[in-house]
Amino acid sequence: MKINYEKLLEAFGVVEGEAFLLSNNVCKDKCKFEGGKLLWFDKYFNGWEESSMRINRLLSLKLEKLPWKPKDGETVWWICACGECVYSFIFNFRERVLKEMKEVIDG
């Protein structure tokens, strides 16, 4: 049986490459649809693996969307507290930046 990949993404309310959590009320796995396949994040090997889960099992699980997080290099807009000023900046979340910020904060 051939599965309509676009309809599957639509049914789950996700876009290709968007990570989400799948839960069976006991554990949660980080997953995403990519390249026509369901991938799950293997915490031990720190990488994405192809899932062998069948569609009927997939439909029996609860999908939980992850909070939105900008990607490196993506333009992000910020509105000040008064609501009158809008600023844009390029999101940059690299380890080097975090290390430098920690050094400044720690003194």
Side-chain angles (χ1 to χ4, degrees):
M1 179 176 147
K2 185 170 165 100
I3 297 169
N4 185 325
Y5 187 65
E6 287 76 26
K7 290 286 185 189
L8 186 62
L9 291 173
E10 186 180 316
F12 279 98
V14 296
V15 295
E16 181 157 349
E18 176 185 359
F20 54 88
L21 297 175
L22 278 180
S23 170
N24 64 1
N25 295 326
V26 176
C27 64
K28 292 181 181 180
D29 287 317
K30 188 174 178 182
C31 300
K32 68 179 177 178
F33 290 106
E34 196 167 83
K37 299 173 185 174
L38 175 65
L39 305 176
W40 65 279
F41 190 78
D42 188 329
K43 298 172 197 153
Y44 299 108
F45 293 108
N46 197 29
W48 293 97
E49 299 286 330
E50 186 175 349
S51 174
S52 60
M53 189 181 308
R54 298 193 182 275
I55 190 71
N56 58 340
R57 173 79 174 121
L58 178 63
L59 294 173
S60 70
L61 299 174
K62 180 182 175 190
L63 184 139
E64 181 181 325
K65 288 197 152 214
L66 295 172
W68 177 80
K69 179 179 159 187
K71 296 176 183 149
D72 249 3
E74 186 174 6
T75 301
V76 180
W77 297 89
W78 174 71
I79 301 172
C80 70
C82 67
E84 295 177 7
C85 304
V86 179
Y87 303 96
S88 69
F89 63 94
I90 304 296
F91 184 78
N92 189 350
F93 194 75
R94 294 189 175 93
E95 294 299 320
R96 180 185 59 78
V97 175
L98 291 175
K99 182 180 175 187
E100 289 175 10
M101 288 175 65
K102 183 173 177 9
E103 288 172 3
V104 169
I105 291 170
D106 292 344

